[in-house]
Amino acid sequence: MKKIVVSLSFLCFTLLGLQAQEGDIRFGIQTSPTFTWMNTADVNVNRSGTNLGLKLAMMSEYYFRENYAVTSGIGFHFNSGGQMLFEDPGTYWPNSDLSPGLDSLASGAKLRYNLQYVEIPLGLKMKTREFGYLSYWLEPSLSMGFRSQARGTMEGRRFDGATIGEEGEKINIRDEVTGINLAWGLGGGVEYTLSGTTSLLLGINMQFGFTDITKNTGTYFDDSRGGEARQEDSRAKITVLSIKAGILF
């Protein structure tokens, strides 16, 4: 995984570097608080909580026209994911570090995903001319995230009636989460020129995952079918709301 990330990052910055002779190129850094949640296609699995996370990234912009730029970079997204409520009893996260039998939960269990990704975005930035020191920008983008860490917590009751989740123990769920998360996004905001090519960046970005980030290894007992055991198929996708703040040089 690390070799893939390094190779893609090197290719990205190499291509931008080769283009620098033909147009303006800028680099920068960003820090963005994020709010993430998970949506599913299963009516018996519902969104139940939001994660507060953080993105740290290096940015690059290649201007092929005066106010149009191809954007990319590399960054880390900490504590992505969210919490989901499972209406049916079942066996969830069977491939996690939980001991056998401890993954069997009664109805109403809540599972929280705490995920970390290395992300490589690719976008098109469209910017207005300056009004004084301010300009406005809009940026549609695609993003590829590589899972670097996956932990989770459970809250609810087991089949034996024991309550879980009070101690907040983090469980290794790496084998329950897919390695790649693909998403598209749309952001917009303002850019304030400090001096020369140096400017501050502030905006809001929405990012919508379009790949299932869970491996759906669990089994649930469908109460509407007399407790029939069925394969869990939540097809969970992550949505991210981030406040983008950075500086460009």
Side-chain angles (χ1 to χ4, degrees):
M1 183 64 68
K2 291 182 179 179
K3 291 182 179 179
I4 295 175
V5 173
V6 171
S7 299
L8 288 174
S9 303
F10 178 77
L11 177 61
C12 171
F13 286 111
T14 298
L15 291 174
L16 287 171
L18 290 174
Q19 297 283 356
Q21 296 178 351
E22 301 178 10
D24 294 330
I25 188 167
R26 305 172 71 190
F27 294 94
I29 55 176
Q30 78 167 82
T31 175
S32 303
T34 65
F35 302 89
T36 64
W37 57 92
M38 299 169 68
N39 299 303
T40 77
D42 192 329
V43 295
N44 293 318
V45 182
N46 302 304
R47 187 177 75 200
S48 180
T50 301
N51 282 8
L52 175 62
L54 179 68
K55 285 190 179 189
L56 299 174
M58 295 182 295
M59 305 178 291
S60 63
E61 298 182 349
Y62 166 66
Y63 280 84
F64 59 92
R65 293 288 186 273
E66 182 178 0
N67 294 316
Y68 297 88
V70 175
T71 62
S72 190
I74 185 169
F76 298 90
H77 190 181
F78 303 96
N79 203 36
S80 180
Q83 182 171 271
M84 296 196 297
L85 170 67
F86 289 77
E87 301 285 357
D88 293 313
T91 300
Y92 303 107
W93 291 349
N95 295 330
S96 68
D97 283 353
L98 284 169
S99 301
L102 298 184
D103 53 4
S104 298
L105 305 175
S107 59
K110 296 178 180 179
L111 276 61
R112 182 176 294 276
Y113 292 75
N114 301 104
L115 311 176
Q116 181 175 311
Y117 288 99
V118 178
E119 294 185 335
I120 299 178
L122 181 65
L124 175 64
K125 183 176 180 180
M126 297 168 282
K127 192 169 67 170
T128 67
R129 64 180 181 85
E130 286 193 355
F131 301 92
Y133 294 99
L134 280 177
S135 58
Y136 301 89
W137 54 270
L138 184 70
E139 183 180 3
S141 64
L142 296 173
S143 176
M144 179 178 291
F146 300 90
R147 180 210 59 213
S148 58
Q149 182 175 295
R151 303 186 72 82
T153 56
M154 290 181 166
E155 181 182 338
R157 291 184 179 275
R158 297 197 179 99
F159 286 170
D160 59 7
T163 301
I164 60 172
E166 295 180 351
E167 68 284 356
E169 178 186 358
K170 292 289 182 69
I171 306 160
N172 184 352
I173 56 171
R174 188 179 182 87
D175 291 334
E176 298 289 346
V177 179
T178 58
I180 295 178
N181 179 37
L182 301 178
W184 68 273
L186 181 64
V190 297
E191 190 173 319
Y192 180 81
T193 301
L194 296 176
S195 64
T197 60
T198 304
S199 59
L200 294 176
L201 198 69
L202 184 64
I204 295 177
N205 186 76
M206 287 294 298
Q207 186 175 310
F208 306 92
F210 56 83
T211 54
D212 184 359
I213 60 99
T214 61
K215 292 185 177 179
N216 303 310
T217 57
T219 301
Y220 71 94
F221 304 104
D222 192 344
D223 290 336
S224 65
R225 299 193 178 188
E228 176 186 347
R230 306 187 68 184
Q231 182 72 32
E232 185 261 316
D233 187 22
S234 59
R235 287 176 280 174
K237 300 173 184 178
I238 297 177
T239 301
V240 183
L241 169 63
S242 60
I243 302 172
K244 186 174 183 179
I247 184 169
L248 287 162
F249 305 98

